Amino acid sequence: MNDLRSTSTSGLSSIIIVGLLLGTLGLFNQPAAARESSSTIFVGIRPFKPFIIITGDRIEGYSIDLWREVAEELDLDYLYIRSGGISGTLADVIEKRVDVAIGGLAINRDREHMADFTHPYFHAGLGILVPKEHGLSIGTLLNSFLTPNKLMVVGCFLLFLIVAGHVIWFVERHSEKRKRSFSRQYFPGVIEGIYWAMVTASTVGYGDRVARSWPGRLLSILLIVLALPIFAYFIATLSSNITIQKLRTSIGGPQDLIERRVGVLDGTTSQRFMQRINAVVYSYDRIEDAYKWLKNGRLDAVVYDRPNLQYYAQHEGKEWSQVVGRTFAPQDYGMAIPQGSHLREELNRVLLAMLEDGRMEQIRSKWFGHQP
């Protein structure tokens, strides 16, 4: 009997523990409306400088300051929930894993079908980030050849000239002509041979070093036939790179991005806009990856929310990037909430009050400076 009672008690305890675990998990999987017993508001966030800046455990930014002001006025207890990108943030709102999402959430028709938004609290739009204009320099021209394929061609061409220089020296050093063009000694004879190969490949010779034997003249013909196309390739590559450098700095608005290589963040309004104007669109899960591609010359521009681009150009990208042109494709930011949430009316009242009493402008000035 004691054994049976003990077993029954153990089984009951296990059932209670499992029930508590399932209940706890169910609390976080239930919609926001079903969690009314919990007074904590779950706030969805994602990195979006300068609206939301996450550095370790530190969270700051324009939207964070705005939310703290709202939460204080409504006396809300809240917990930040980090989402994976813009699509993850919207999914958390739609599936009611969070009660409200803040940050650079543009209000548009498609999103309004899936979630509700507060009144706009920030007027923004798209911008264009490009490399800063720099004058052409030797370094710029050299960098234009620093690709694996071009370096291989350069290496083969130089090797060909070295071999041709050795061959012409070997053939011509025994020439019995009264005026010999190449020294009999290895040095400087080989140097003279390489010099002859270089000027012959580039200018068909200056006449100061010429082949006087028939084998040497045959080598001259072969060198001209083979080297001139390669040398022409170098000239064409150099010219095209100079042209590309100038074109990269000629972007002043969205009309200049047609058929250009443009980086955008996947799932954003900038992606849809660039696709409509027939740009060559490269989509990234992280905007930082687009910045790296632009810096490395693999993109012509990055199109994203202009406040974000301006913040980057003034901080991490200060040395090499700039925002050009005017703001286009205007859009408004709002807080996203699940459809039918009671929070919408409360949030709107506080936002309107902050707009009227100047608190919203104070927060804006802190992060963006005074607007003209």
Side-chain angles (χ1 to χ4, degrees):
M1 292 291 293
N2 291 336
D3 292 339
L4 178 61
R5 190 181 299 115
S6 175
T7 302
S8 300
T9 303
S10 175
L12 181 61
S13 300
S14 299
I15 293 173
I16 293 174
I17 292 172
V18 171
L20 288 174
L21 289 173
L22 291 175
T24 303
L25 292 174
L27 173 65
F28 292 97
N29 288 328
Q30 289 175 357
R35 289 194 268 106
E36 293 180 354
S37 58
S38 175
S39 59
T40 302
I41 299 297
F42 292 90
V43 183
I45 62 173
R46 78 185 198 284
F48 187 76
K49 300 178 181 179
F51 292 87
I52 298 179
I53 305 172
I54 302 176
T55 308
D57 295 332
R58 184 178 180 182
I59 304 175
E60 58 183 342
Y62 173 88
S63 293
I64 297 298
D65 287 352
L66 187 73
W67 169 255
R68 286 172 180 166
E69 193 75 22
V70 171
E72 182 177 351
E73 184 152 335
L74 293 175
D75 194 23
L76 299 176
D77 292 326
Y78 58 90
L79 179 66
Y80 293 125
I81 304 296
R82 183 167 177 172
S83 304
I86 179 66
S87 57
T89 300
L90 292 173
D92 287 343
V93 173
I94 295 168
E95 297 175 16
K96 300 184 178 180
R97 290 190 289 265
V98 298
D99 300 290
V100 59
I102 62 176
L105 296 171
I107 304 171
N108 59 45
R109 181 178 56 185
D110 294 336
R111 292 174 182 175
E112 272 285 0
H113 285 308
M114 301 179 290
D116 287 337
F117 286 86
T118 64
H119 292 316
Y121 63 81
F122 194 92
H123 301 291
L126 300 181
I128 304 172
L129 185 76
V130 298
K132 284 184 177 179
E133 296 186 13
H134 295 288
L136 291 175
S137 63
I138 294 178
T140 303
L141 297 181
L142 288 178
N143 286 335
S144 67
F145 288 97
L146 295 181
T147 63
N149 291 335
K150 292 179 181 178
L151 287 176
M152 183 176 67
V153 173
V154 170
C156 292
F157 182 58
L158 293 177
L159 180 62
F160 176 71
L161 294 179
I162 292 172
V163 171
H166 277 76
V167 173
I168 195 66
W169 168 76
F170 182 79
V171 171
E172 291 294 320
R173 67 176 180 156
H174 296 298
S175 176
E176 299 298 335
K177 298 292 184 181
R178 184 170 55 186
K179 186 178 180 181
R180 186 182 300 108
S181 294
F182 301 90
S183 173
R184 288 181 179 274
Q185 297 180 349
Y186 184 76
F187 288 109
V190 167
I191 303 301
E192 294 171 347
I194 296 174
Y195 164 76
W196 167 86
M198 177 63 74
V199 297
T200 301
S202 59
T203 63
V204 198
Y206 294 147
D208 56 342
R209 292 286 185 274
V210 295
R212 300 185 181 279
S213 64
W214 284 110
R217 291 173 179 174
L218 290 175
L219 179 62
S220 299
I221 295 173
L222 181 63
L223 179 64
I224 293 172
V225 170
L226 295 179
L228 279 181
I230 300 177
F231 192 77
Y233 166 79
F234 286 134
I235 297 300
T237 300
L238 184 62
S239 300
S240 64
N241 280 310
I242 292 174
T243 303
I244 289 173
Q245 291 295 328
K246 292 181 178 179
L247 286 174
R248 289 181 65 185
T249 59
S250 65
I251 297 174
Q255 70 279 358
D256 300 320
L257 297 175
I258 299 174
E259 298 184 356
R260 297 288 187 91
R261 300 169 301 171
V262 180
V264 298
L265 188 65
D266 188 43
T268 59
T269 53
S270 58
Q271 181 184 37
R272 291 189 289 272
F273 187 92
M274 287 299 101
Q275 289 172 341
R276 286 201 301 269
I277 68 170
N278 294 324
V280 182
V281 179
Y282 292 80
S283 302
Y284 301 87
D285 294 327
R286 298 172 62 254
I287 195 62
E288 290 79 9
D289 294 332
Y291 295 151
K292 291 179 182 178
W293 277 52
L294 179 65
K295 186 176 182 179
N296 294 335
R298 301 165 74 180
L299 293 175
D300 298 310
V302 171
V303 172
Y304 195 38
D305 294 46
R306 189 180 181 91
N308 184 281
L309 296 180
Q310 288 177 324
Y311 185 85
Y312 177 81
Q314 294 169 2
H315 294 81
E316 294 96 330
K318 184 177 181 180
E319 298 298 325
W320 68 272
S321 66
Q322 61 181 346
V323 179
V324 297
R326 297 182 178 181
T327 302
F328 60 97
Q331 55 191 11
D332 293 323
Y333 294 161
M335 297 180 184
I337 48 183
Q339 289 184 338
S341 173
H342 67 281
L343 280 174
R344 182 180 186 181
E345 191 64 30
E346 298 176 19
L347 295 175
N348 279 336
R349 283 199 295 267
V350 177
L351 290 175
L352 289 174
M354 292 178 64
L355 180 63
E356 292 173 359
D357 61 25
R359 283 179 291 167
M360 191 175 294
E361 181 57 32
Q362 290 177 359
I363 297 174
R364 182 187 181 101
S365 298
K366 172 185 175 181
W367 291 99
F368 299 97
H370 293 282
Q371 301 298 307

